Amino acid sequence: MAETYRRKMTAYEEVNWQYNKAADLLAIPDQYKSILRNCYRELKVQIPLRRDNGKLEEYFGFRVQHNGARGPYKGGIRYHPSVNLDEVRALASLMTWKTALVDIPFGGAKGGVNCDPHSMSENELQVLTRTFTRKIDMCLGIYRDIPAPDVNTDAKVMAWMMDEYGRKNGYTPAIVTGKPIALGGSQGRQSATGLGVFYITQRACRDFKIPLTGARVVIQGFGNVGSFSAEYLQKGGAKIIAVADEAGGLINKDGLNVAALIRHTKERKGITGFTEADVLPKEHIFTVPCDILIPAALNGVITDQNVETIQAKIIIEGANNPINPHADHILKERGIPVVPDILANAGGVTVSYFEWTQNLQQFYWDEKEVQHKLEAKMDRAYTEVWEMAAKHNVPLRMAAFMVAIRRVYEAVQLRGI
Ligand code: NAD
């Protein structure tokens, strides 16, 4: 184990490190272990883009389908300069385990384009999105592969994808989830990941005996996941004392006014300039003493280099794969429990499943019904993870992988593979 830690792993190797350990604990036979670990299909496409200033630029887009034994491939689309095939593979694999863990009838996929959307006009983003959609069109389908929003993509991007796909295939709202409500999106989808983070935090705090009322919460990332998590946790009685985004950080030991900060973030496209808090260098976010720490930005942010600075009682992974295996091991030794991504942030894909279902049946639910169904799904998944952890005396991440792998293994076997 120590040997592997000495070498820096790629994101996909990190996910597979956890997967391999869990598959071994379940005694999955070697040939199946490899079939479940590897990706089914990987598509890389070229996206030439004529910028508004006339300059021609070249980007690359990816769609990786990891495992579809339990249903159509499902996973978000990310726009970020660091997007690459390895990272997309890692995130696609996590989606397989996440959809299996919350027991929704999907497989796992992920996609992305290696662009910097902050430097693009709305027109450029729309052209890029439509070109990308056309180029991956052959592997999409309402019963084949259904994209959703992820980092730097939102309902508007999903609307463009749906429209572009529909030009060739006709009216197909179920082709993407996370759409605007007016185009067939689901009530409660936008806030679903943050609400799921809240439900899971509530359960975990109860089990680890951390009172949620008055709990000090620190959040990295104040986009979709970070801001809704903050809002629900504050409503639940916690105090959000520090947040950071790409540009900087904020700290207020008495608790930030989350509603005001969300308004500010919408207007100013970031948290910078918010006056009801002190400025915190964004690198210091993992040094702030707190009860609950929520990484909700990018993957690979907590490593052996900074893990010792963390002074939290529990970590809830809002982001995907934010902690590398070495740091994960150190946190375990330090007795800081980690609620893993595939459980904590599964609320988004769960309500995506509800959106897809509503699109297929062309009958829509109100927000209360969506949230009620979400809570039931998250609650059941949490209980299964907790019981697996207790039975095998393993950390929650291992237990979550075990519950998920067992389900996918069963589906693969039943298909006669
Ligand atoms: P987003 O684009 O809405 O927000 C990302 C946030 O992270 C922004 O505030 C950005 O400024 C911040 N950020 C980026 N780099 C940073 C850095 N170096 N330091 C501090 N902050 C930084 O994205 P999102 O949808 O909120 O996704 C966040 C994470 O949650 C990702 O890992 C994503 O895969 C995961 N996730 C998202 C969903 C969803 O429904 N949106 C569901 C499950 C998991």
Side-chain angles (χ1 to χ4, degrees), residues 205-225:
C205 281
R206 208 164 69 205
D207 287 337
F208 288 103
K209 311 214 173 344
I210 301 165
L212 192 57
T213 306
R216 298 159 304 156
V217 180
V218 168
I219 304 180
Q220 186 200 38
F222 206 68
N224 177 289
V225 180

Side-chain angles (χ1 to χ4, degrees), residues 27 89 273 312 415:
R89 281 177 178 150
R415 281 171 178 268

Side-chain angles (χ1 to χ4, degrees), residues 78 150 152 189 193 222-225 245-246 296-297 318-320 345:
R78 177 175 293 199
D150 190 67
N152 292 328
R189 170 61 184 92
T193 310
F222 206 68
N224 177 289
V225 180
D245 72 4
E246 227 162 338
N320 285 312
N345 70 31

